[in-house]
Amino acid sequence: MEIDSDILVVGAGHAGCEAALAAARMGCRVVVLTSSLNQVARMPCNPSIGGPAKAHLVKEVDALGGIMGQAIDETHVHIRMLNTSKGPAVQALRAQADRPRYSERVQLEVVSHPNIQIVQDMILQLQLQQGEIVGAVGTTGCLYRAGATVLTTGTFLGGLIHMGETSFAGGRSGEPPAQALSESLRACGLELGRLKTGTTPRLHRDSINWAAMEEQKPTDTPLVFSERSPLSLPPRQLSCYLTRTTAATKEAILANLHRSPMYIGVIEGTGPRYCPSIEDKMVRFADKDSHQIFVEPEGFDVPEVYLQGVSTSLPLDVQWQIVHSIPGLEKAVILRPGYAVEYDFVHPTQLQHTLEVTSLRRLFLAGQINGTSGYEEAAAQGLLAGINAALRASASSLLELGREQAYLGVLVDDLVTRGTSEPYRMHTSRAEYRLLLRQDNADERLTEVGYRLGCVSTAQFTAFTEKELLSQAEYERLQSTRLKPAEAEQATARFGTPVRPGCSLYELLKRPHIGLDQIRLFEGLEPLGQRIQERVEIRVKYDGYMKRQEDEVARFRRMEERELPEGMDYKGLVSLSLEAREKLQRHRPRTLGQASRIPGVSPSDIATLLVSLKQGRLCKSR
C-alpha cells in the first residue's frame, strides 16, 4: 500500500502539529504519522506555556499563523506576566494549561483541517533516493511518499525510561519507542547523540494541605499570547502555590543516591542544565538548605497536580519519602510517579538554517530530535520546518530567520552553528538584540513575512495592518503635537513635573512616570486599545535605545553577509589558531558572522579571516 502527499510529518507533538498546520495553510496535502491518535499535542511534562524567552517564541509562532498561542489562551487555568519590574525586553507571559483541554484544542485544529490526514503508524525506515529523502516505510508496511519529510520524534528515538533500578523501552510512559528510525538515520549517515529529560510525580489535589503553602494568584489584568485572541479576563482561574524542600528531603535523596540511575551510570545521556532533577540539585547545590517547589494545577476538572522542581528518576518508595517531607504535602497521594527518559538526538550542526539536513535533501528535523527542550522551542522549530518543507516541495526558496529578526532565528543559529551537548533551552540572554525582539512586537517582525509565504491568513494580516496604521498615526500625532503656554502650565500641575511651552506630547510621554492613557485623558481623548497603547508607549519610551540596537544590527549584517568560499581549506590557514582551524573545518560556516559564533573561534581569528577575504587569500580545498 502507498499513500502520497506533499508533506509527511512524523510525530504529532507540539512540533509536529505546528509543522503540519503551517504546510497545510500553505496549500500542501499533509500526512501526519503518530504512534497513538489519542496523544496528539500531549503535555507530558509541565502543563505550562511561556516564561522568559519561551513566551517570545510563542508570540513568534502566533505571528506566523501558528496555533499554540490561541490554544493556551482558550484553555489556561492561570496566567501571569513575569518580570514586570523590569523592561519590556525581558517581560514574559506564562500560563498554566488545562492539560487535557489544551491537547483537545490543538487536536481539533489538526484533524479538522481539510489538507491534513492523520494516520496511526510508526516509521521503520526512511526512503533514500539519489541523496534525497522521498518518503518512509511504516510498521504497517505502508510506503508514505512525500515531496518533503519532517521528523518531530520528541523523546521517542531509542527511548528508554528509568525509575530507580527499573529501566524499560519507551518514548513516554505507556508508549513505545522508535527504535528502527534511529538505525535508519544512522544508516543515512547522520551522527546521533544521547540526551535525557525527566518529569515529576503527580499528586492528587484533594490530598494536599493548601493552607500550608504560599498562594500565587493569577492576574487580574486581561493577558493573552495571541493577537487573534480577544483581550479579556477569563471567567475562572486557579491559583498556583509555593513551598520548599526541607532537611528531611535532602536526607532522603542523599541516602538513596546509590539507587538513582543518574548516579550509578545507568543513564548515559546528558540532562538539562536549567531544569535539573531534584537529586541533581541536592548534589550540585549541596550548600543550599532548601529549594523552591511550585505546586501547579493541571486543569479545572483534573485531579492531578504538578510539582515543578521535583523531576526525579529515584525509585517510587523514595519518591513517597521526598513528597511527604515537603510542607503541605505530608499526606499527599502520588497518582503517577516521576521518571527519566533517555533518547537519541541528531547533532544539529548537520542541519541548514532552514532545518533541512545538509546531506539529505527534503528531510527536515524539528524539536527534541535537534537537541532542544521545551514545548515552545519545539513548536517554533516545527513551524519553521513545516514552512520550509512546503517551500521545498514546491521548489521555492526556503526561509531563514536571522538572529536580529526573531528568537527563533537565535535558536536555530545557536543549534546549527554551535551544536549542543545538553538539552538546549531558550533564554533572553542568548539574544544579542533582545530590545528589538520583544514579545509585544513579534507580529511587527514576522506577520508580513508569513503572509507573503501563505501561512498567515488574510484576516490575520488585515488586523495586523490596521493595528500598525493606528499605532503609527498615534506615534506621529504625539511627535507633532506641541503644548501651548497655557497647556504647558496645566500639564505641569496635572503631572507634577515642569513642562515648558512647546514641549511635544512625544517628549512628555518619554518621562518614566507618565503613560499614554494619562496624556490622552489630559487631552480629553478616549483611551486607545490596550494593544495599540502598549505598542506606542514602548516605542516612544525606548526609541533611543532601539535606534542604537538597529545601528548595531546594521553593523552585524555587514559582517554576517560576508560569505566564506564554499569548500575552503581552513587547515592551510596557519595564521589561524589550531583550535579555530579544526572548528572551522568541522562546522564549515557559510558566512563570517556564523564563523564568529563557533566556540573556540576568537575575535583575532575572525580578524584574520576578514583580512584574508579582502586580500583574496582564501582558497578551496583541492
Side-chain angles (χ1 to χ4, degrees), residues 236-253:
R236 180 186 174 199
Q237 292 193 79
L238 300 175
S239 290
C240 293
Y241 289 81
L242 179 64
T243 184
R244 302 190 71 91
T245 62
T246 62
T249 313
K250 189 172 185 178
E251 183 181 347
I253 291 169

Side-chain angles (χ1 to χ4, degrees), residues 8-54:
L8 174 64
V9 176
V10 180
H14 302 277
C17 288
E18 293 291 358
L21 287 166
R25 289 195 302 273
M26 294 169 71
C28 292
R29 294 175 298 114
V30 182
V31 168
V32 178
L33 299 187
T34 176
S35 60
S36 173
L37 296 175
N38 298 319
Q39 304 296 343
V40 175
R42 187 179 169 188
M43 304 178 99
C45 197
N46 192 339
S48 70
I49 298 292
K54 290 172 171 283

Side-chain angles (χ1 to χ4, degrees), residues 58-314:
V58 180
K59 291 277 194 173
E60 290 174 359
V61 167
D62 183 69
L64 287 166
I67 187 59
M68 178 172 268
Q70 283 184 301
I72 188 62
D73 287 341
E74 294 173 22
T75 62
H76 72 257
V77 299
H78 177 107
I79 191 167
R80 289 192 304 144
M81 184 72 78
L82 306 182
N83 298 331
T84 53
S85 63
K86 300 179 181 179
V90 294
Q91 291 180 10
L93 276 176
R94 185 176 185 272
Q96 288 293 128
D98 188 311
R99 185 170 47 80
R101 288 182 59 225
Y102 177 90
S103 298
E104 289 166 7
R105 174 66 182 85
V106 177
Q107 183 171 353
L108 177 63
E109 192 79 11
V110 174
V111 300
S112 63
H113 200 290
N115 289 346
I116 298 177
Q117 177 186 0
I118 300 185
V119 179
Q120 185 167 302
D121 199 355
M122 295 182 71
I123 291 301
L124 283 177
Q125 186 177 23
L126 294 170
Q127 292 292 290
L128 180 63
Q129 185 176 312
Q130 297 179 340
E132 296 188 347
I133 298 298
V134 295
V137 177
T139 55
T140 59
C142 182
L143 172 60
Y144 301 93
R145 292 189 180 275
T149 298
V150 183
L151 298 185
T152 66
T153 52
T155 59
F156 283 75
L157 279 185
L160 190 61
I161 291 174
H162 302 275
M163 189 170 65
E165 298 89 347
T166 303
S167 297
F168 53 92
R172 284 190 300 240
S173 181
E175 297 180 67
Q179 301 285 15
L181 184 52
S182 282
E183 295 310 313
S184 182
L185 289 167
R186 288 189 179 96
C188 288
L190 294 183
E191 181 186 355
L192 274 61
R194 201 83 171 143
L195 294 177
K196 171 237 145 187
T197 189
T199 188
T200 76
R202 301 321 208 273
L203 311 182
H204 198 296
R205 64 184 178 190
D206 294 341
S207 65
I208 294 173
N209 179 12
W210 301 101
M213 297 181 287
E214 180 185 338
E215 184 178 10
Q216 287 192 313
K217 293 185 177 180
T219 184
D220 56 2
T221 303
L223 295 171
V224 292
F225 282 91
S226 175
E227 291 295 313
R228 291 167 282 170
S229 297
L231 197 56
S232 59
L233 273 173
R236 180 186 174 199
Q237 292 193 79
L238 300 175
S239 290
C240 293
Y241 289 81
L242 179 64
T243 184
R244 302 190 71 91
T245 62
T246 62
T249 313
K250 189 172 185 178
E251 183 181 347
I253 291 169
L254 295 180
N256 287 281
L257 279 181
H258 64 285
R259 302 177 67 193
S260 167
M262 280 184 59
Y263 286 91
I264 59 177
V266 175
I267 294 178
E268 299 174 2
T270 306
R273 178 187 302 267
Y274 301 103
C275 188
S277 67
I278 189 69
E279 52 263 43
D280 204 19
K281 285 186 207 175
M282 295 300 173
V283 173
R284 285 167 55 186
F285 308 106
D287 57 321
K288 292 196 68 173
D289 294 328
S290 69
H291 299 267
Q292 281 191 338
I293 304 297
F294 293 93
V295 185
E296 302 169 333
E298 295 206 356
F300 290 119
D301 303 311
V302 179
E304 289 181 320
V305 170
Y306 186 90
L307 290 186
Q308 173 68 18
V310 192
S311 172
T312 184
S313 58
L314 284 163

Side-chain angles (χ1 to χ4, degrees), residues 57 60 353 401-418 424 426-434 437 597:
L57 288 171
E60 290 174 359
H353 281 73
L401 294 173
R403 298 182 70 90
E404 79 290 356
Q405 194 175 5
Y407 267 85
L408 177 51
V410 174
L411 184 156
V412 172
D413 186 63
D414 280 352
L415 292 174
V416 172
T417 304
R418 301 174 180 174
Y424 177 100
M426 196 72 243
H427 294 285
T428 52
S429 59
R430 297 190 191 272
E432 302 92 325
Y433 309 111
R434 53 186 172 271
L437 303 182
R597 295 189 292 278

